Each structure stands twice: as structure tokens, then as C-alpha cells.
Amino acid sequence: MGSTGGSTRSAPDAAERVARPKPAGREADGYAEEAAALRTGLVREIVAGGGLTDPAWRAAFEEVPRHLFVPYYYEAGDAAAAAAPPDTGTTRAGEAGTAHGTVGYTRLWRDDPHPLRRARWLAGAYADAPLATRVRDGELITSSSQPSLMARMLQALQVRDGDRVLEIGAGTGYNAALLAHRLGDAHVTTLDLDPEITEAARNHLASAGFRPAVVTGDGARGCPLHAPYDRIIATCAVASIPSAWLGQCRPDALILTPLATGLIALRVADARHAEGHFLAIPAYFVPLRGSGPPPQVPTHGLPSRPLLDDSFRFLLNVAAGHLEPVEALALWEHEGRPGRERYGVTVRGERQWAWLDDPEGAYGWPLGPPGRLEPFRGLSPGAP
């Protein structure tokens, strides 16, 4: 791998990864023994599903205590209330209208006086499921991702000892802890726009014995203070690739970010050029804060059966605003109902586009807010 800026990378001290100092207050963790058993079960479940094939990442998931990062979280919908034990006194954290009605949030927390609710909180902390961790005025602000998806993303990041990683979206700090376990604190920076989120993440990390850099700032601008990076991983969805990310990467760096209900892995050539394919797995993340809502995905004129197919819904998302629904259906059927892994993204200077099979092929759609680029299809060979 090439490098810029004249910096020298070195592998993290083995003692830093294996023999971390015991954090103050850890002895008082009354859930440690039960949590360790639940954590073992979670790792076994992820491995059975084909994840955590890398021993270093498996060790991270076995040893990093997720429950310290989610001292409380929220369950959504009536199912949460129905599952609560009698006389729970559950807290309604807010309601948000959706296309299907009203969604309520019920809080589960570590210090609940009811033992059954505490047990339910701990079991949920080690379930292979996403957890809503911050709700404001009925809107989901941040969450802890599904652990099996986190494992797949971290493995897809292809880190090596000595790599410097920037995480966009600090969340609870759990993903940063996994990265720090693998690479060492000094090689990890996590960033979030909300100072309340970064402060909470910093506290959670410290309670678990990790101290990577936790920075408050605009994720779209990256973090030049600790650049250049070998890897950038985002835990929030973007509509296009922020140019600042490329500019803060070393040549041959990898950017992994949610986009259009998928995960795009971009190999960076330089500060203005990157290209890569989507991973095969679906991914639904909260949008990068400040980036605006995702584009509306029209479905008018479509039969119901294709809408049940995840690969077709992905095409509708990746080409949203640039391809009529009936055109998308015709393309999808003509091309053999392609999965996510046949799509990719190219960044060339000010232009960015998603494509099917070939960046210079017959099908391409610009990325970014509507109106930023003229819609186009059928890229000409050699187009800039």
C-alpha cells in the first residue's frame, strides 16, 4: 500500500490489545458473569450464520462487553408493550407517525428496579438484533447495529495491523471498541455530529477500558486532525460519497459505507477517484445527520410481486429519481434479476454514479441530491 504525508505506520503493541488495564468500576459490574455467557451464545450464533471467520474479530466480539454500551435502549411498537412483564411501568419515549401508523418506544434499562425487566434488558443487549438507543421527539436518532451485520462489515473492511481507521457515526461506541480491540486505541477515531452522543460514547468506551479518539464534528467533513486513514467505515447512510473522505485517505484505502439500502466498498485511488462494488448483504441505516432525507422511491404502476423481492427494491433505491419504476422493472427482469453484488459506484472528480455490471456499461445513475447532476443512462465508453 502507498502512503501520503510521510507518516510511518506500525503494528499496535500486543500488550495494548491483550492486557488492557482494568477500568475503574469494572469490578462493580454485577452483570459480568451472566453477560459473558450471553456473549458466548451471541458469538456462536454469528459463527453459525457464517460470520466471524477471522479469529481476531471473533476475539473482539467474545471479549468486548456490549451491555456496557447500551445501559438503556428502546423497543418499538406494540410488541414491546405486549412482551413486558405485568406491572412494568414502562416508559413511553415518544411516538412517530409512519406509513403504517404510529410507532411507540418502550425503554429497557440496566438499573430498572424490576428484576424481570433487568433480565430482559441484558438478554436484549446480547440478541442478534439492532437496538434503538436514542429517540428524540419520536424520531430515532441513533442505534446499535445488529451484531452479525457489524461482524460482516468489520471483516469486509479488511483491516491489517497498523491501519488507521475513521468511523463515521459514533453511536454507542461499541463498534469503535471492537475496532480498538483489533487495532489499538491509537489507530481508531470515531466521529459524530451530536455532542451528547460523543460524550456518551466516550463514557461507554472508558467503562470498557478503551480510549480511542472520540470527536464531535460533521461526518461529511471527516476528521482531518487524525488523517490520513487506511480505512473509513460509516455506520450511517449517505446519498453520495463525501469528497472529504477521499481526501483524507491514503492511496489504496478502503471506504465502506451504507448507500441505497446496501453497503458499498470503495477502493480509493487518490483524493478524487474511487471505485468498488456493493456487498451482497442488505443494510438499512439511519441517514447521516445533516444530509437530508433519502430520495423518495416511487412504486406507481408496479405489480406487487416484484416489490416483495429485495433485489428489485434495491434497484429502485439505487436509481431513485433517475429511473421510472416500470423502466426499473423491465431492466431488472431483462438482466436476470441482479443481486446487489452486481452493482457498483464510481467517483471521478465531481461526478459520482452507481452502475450495473460495468462502470462504462449500459446502465448508470448519478448519485447525490436531485438536481445536482443531470439524469443519465447508458454511459459512453471513456466518459469522464
Side-chain angles (χ1 to χ4, degrees), residues 287-308:
L288 176 69
R289 294 189 66 192
S291 63
Q296 293 294 316
V297 179
T299 58
H300 54 271
L302 293 174
S304 58
R305 174 165 288 190
L307 292 174
L308 299 176

Side-chain angles (χ1 to χ4, degrees), residues 27-115:
E27 299 87 345
D29 180 9
Y31 299 101
E33 184 175 350
E34 186 177 356
L38 291 170
R39 198 156 56 247
T40 298
L42 173 61
V43 170
R44 188 181 299 119
E45 181 180 350
I46 296 174
V47 170
L52 293 178
T53 56
D54 183 332
W57 286 123
R58 178 167 180 165
F61 276 82
E62 287 174 338
E63 296 171 20
V64 176
R66 191 188 189 202
H67 69 286
L68 296 184
F69 294 86
V70 286
Y72 62 88
Y73 58 85
Y74 300 92
E75 290 185 346
D78 294 336
D87 190 27
T88 60
T90 51
T91 301
R92 303 295 285 186
E95 296 189 347
T98 69
H100 301 287
T102 300
V103 175
Y105 293 94
T106 301
R107 188 178 73 160
L108 298 174
W109 61 305
R110 175 186 56 200
D111 298 322
D112 195 301
H114 198 296

Side-chain angles (χ1 to χ4, degrees), residues 323-346:
L323 194 60
E324 289 296 322
V326 291
E327 291 180 309
L329 180 58
L331 184 160
W332 180 68
E333 291 179 336
H334 181 267
E335 295 297 327
R337 302 182 177 185
R340 283 175 167 80
E341 67 278 6
R342 286 178 57 185
Y343 296 84
V345 166
T346 295

Side-chain angles (χ1 to χ4, degrees), residues 6-380:
S7 59
T8 301
R9 295 178 295 143
S10 60
D13 183 358
E16 181 184 8
R17 289 193 291 165
V18 177
R20 291 180 174 275
K22 200 171 190 180
R26 187 72 169 271
E27 299 87 345
D29 180 9
Y31 299 101
E33 184 175 350
E34 186 177 356
L38 291 170
R39 198 156 56 247
T40 298
L42 173 61
V43 170
R44 188 181 299 119
E45 181 180 350
I46 296 174
V47 170
L52 293 178
T53 56
D54 183 332
W57 286 123
R58 178 167 180 165
F61 276 82
E62 287 174 338
E63 296 171 20
V64 176
R66 191 188 189 202
H67 69 286
L68 296 184
F69 294 86
V70 286
Y72 62 88
Y73 58 85
Y74 300 92
E75 290 185 346
D78 294 336
D87 190 27
T88 60
T90 51
T91 301
R92 303 295 285 186
E95 296 189 347
T98 69
H100 301 287
T102 300
V103 175
Y105 293 94
T106 301
R107 188 178 73 160
L108 298 174
W109 61 305
R110 175 186 56 200
D111 298 322
D112 195 301
H114 198 296
L116 292 179
R117 292 197 296 267
R118 293 197 303 272
R120 187 162 145 234
W121 160 78
L122 186 62
Y126 289 104
D128 187 24
L131 299 175
T133 55
R134 192 171 294 264
V135 176
R136 184 177 297 159
D137 297 328
E139 178 186 359
L140 176 62
I141 300 298
T142 187
S143 62
S144 181
S145 302
Q146 183 177 7
S148 59
L149 177 58
M150 296 173 70
R152 290 178 181 272
M153 290 179 67
L154 289 170
Q155 291 202 168
L157 202 58
Q158 302 175 32
V159 299
R160 307 151 308 171
D161 288 351
D163 278 350
R164 297 182 66 85
V165 178
L166 171 63
E167 179 191 29
I168 307 295
T172 65
Y174 178 54
N175 201 56
L178 295 167
L179 285 162
H181 184 284
R182 171 67 180 82
L183 296 168
D185 292 344
H187 295 269
V188 178
T189 299
T190 186
L191 175 72
D192 204 285
L193 181 64
D194 192 325
E196 292 183 4
I197 291 175
T198 52
E199 180 63 19
R202 189 178 294 110
N203 291 337
H204 297 158
L205 284 157
S207 73
F210 298 96
R211 288 175 175 79
V214 182
V215 179
T216 303
D218 184 352
R221 297 183 179 182
C223 183
L225 179 64
H226 299 140
Y229 303 103
D230 303 285
R231 300 290 186 268
I232 293 180
I233 181 171
T235 56
C236 47
V238 297
S240 60
I241 309 302
S243 60
W245 294 4
L246 273 66
Q248 293 170 26
C249 282
R250 288 187 171 98
D252 202 41
L254 189 70
I255 295 174
L256 182 67
T257 183
L259 191 154
T261 75
L263 289 166
I264 185 68
L266 291 170
R267 187 65 66 178
V268 177
D270 56 42
R272 292 174 58 81
H273 298 85
E275 189 168 276
H277 278 83
F278 282 89
L279 305 187
I281 56 177
Y284 298 87
F285 283 80
V286 174
L288 176 69
R289 294 189 66 192
S291 63
Q296 293 294 316
V297 179
T299 58
H300 54 271
L302 293 174
S304 58
R305 174 165 288 190
L307 292 174
L308 299 176
D309 193 297
D310 178 74
S311 66
F312 179 61
R313 295 198 306 272
F314 174 72
L315 173 58
L316 287 177
N317 277 276
V318 82
H322 306 295
L323 194 60
E324 289 296 322
V326 291
E327 291 180 309
L329 180 58
L331 184 160
W332 180 68
E333 291 179 336
H334 181 267
E335 295 297 327
R337 302 182 177 185
R340 283 175 167 80
E341 67 278 6
R342 286 178 57 185
Y343 296 84
V345 166
T346 295
V347 179
R348 289 185 188 167
E350 299 302 317
R351 297 189 69 186
Q352 301 185 25
W353 67 95
W355 40 264
L356 174 65
D357 290 333
D358 183 349
E360 309 295 355
Y363 305 107
W365 309 277
L367 298 178
R372 175 183 162 190
L373 293 171
E374 290 299 319
F376 66 95
R377 293 179 62 205
L379 291 169
S380 302

